[in-house]
Amino acid sequence: MRRSLTFAAVAAVLSQTEGHDYPFVRSETRVLEDGSSYAYLNDLSSYSTQYSKCVRAKIQDDNDDQQEGNSYFVNGRYHAQYKTFASFVLCEDNGSSCGTCDYNTHYVTDLDTYLDSTITSIQEVCQACANQCGRRNLEDGGNDVVANCNTCVSECSLINYGNGGEDETEYMACQAAYADENSGIQYYSGPTCDSSGGLVIGLFYDEDCTVKTGSELDNGFSYDTFKTVETFCGSCSTGMCDDLYPYALHCFGAYNMNANAAEDGDGVNSKSICKAAAQK
């Protein structure tokens, strides 16, 4: 049976949290038949955030030359173009790890924004962890972050004491990878999704990294940083959510509930993104 939605209240209010002034947001509550609900959170200090998955949404194009909705011609046929996003969830912050997470609402932002913000925050925490915890225990932590030694040693083990291999963070921007001498095709590389929603450096046909070849860039990556991003529990009280939550799509079912987020951008509408994020 399809889930029906009821609206408890609909209003636009100016949302303020300590130290932050956000634009107008939807202050509406949606309730599903199972009792789950959505509401915009003005105070995130009691929450943590955790990566959910990487999702891709097809870019719509009305080009008359396209075939079956695929508009990019390369290597003898038309290909679909996709924009890539990261979804994350909010969890109860119990002080030592992520508590119960709310999987009814997925927060979605473009992958580049998510990685830029999250990797910077994680690297700061893990640097502080290396300096403040364990045998090193340096007085100068190197930044203002106070590490939680009960959890960070395990969470930061790959970044701080990883497996070696090529560093994937050197390939964060879409960039030229190599040219095939036989076909003459120029390939590009950049962050994208693997088949299970994880993070990898993919291989693309175009300079915007929207047309996947179906292969990953084989540069001997250990993916220490990406694996840490996928499992890390970050407390919003440290500011880790500040750059993501206010302007992300707040996907409650197939609906975006956050008026701050762009409903349509780069040929992708919010409903298709939210549907992709909600799929299990």
Side-chain angles (χ1 to χ4, degrees), residues 56-113:
R56 299 167 66 232
K58 187 175 181 180
I59 299 173
Q60 301 300 319
D61 194 328
D62 296 327
N63 187 342
D64 291 336
D65 293 332
Q66 66 185 6
Q67 292 186 0
E68 298 180 353
N70 300 334
S71 60
Y72 195 93
F73 188 83
V74 65
N75 202 21
R77 66 184 181 89
Y78 284 93
H79 298 258
Q81 292 180 272
Y82 289 85
K83 188 168 175 60
T84 312
F85 301 85
S87 70
F88 60 98
V89 295
L90 292 181
C91 312
E92 296 175 357
D93 190 345
N94 60 19
S96 60
S97 62
C98 279
T100 302
C101 299
D102 177 12
Y103 292 101
N104 290 308
T105 304
H106 289 264
Y107 305 91
V108 184
T109 187
D110 68 273
L111 182 59
D112 290 343
T113 298

Side-chain angles (χ1 to χ4, degrees), residues 18 27 42 63 72 86-87 129 134 155 160 163-164 171 182 186 193 200 234 240:
E18 185 177 355
S27 180
N42 295 328
N63 187 342
Y72 195 93
S87 70
C129 183
E155 288 184 322
N160 288 344
N163 300 315
Y171 297 79
N182 295 322
Q186 172 67 55
C193 317
V200 294
M240 191 169 182

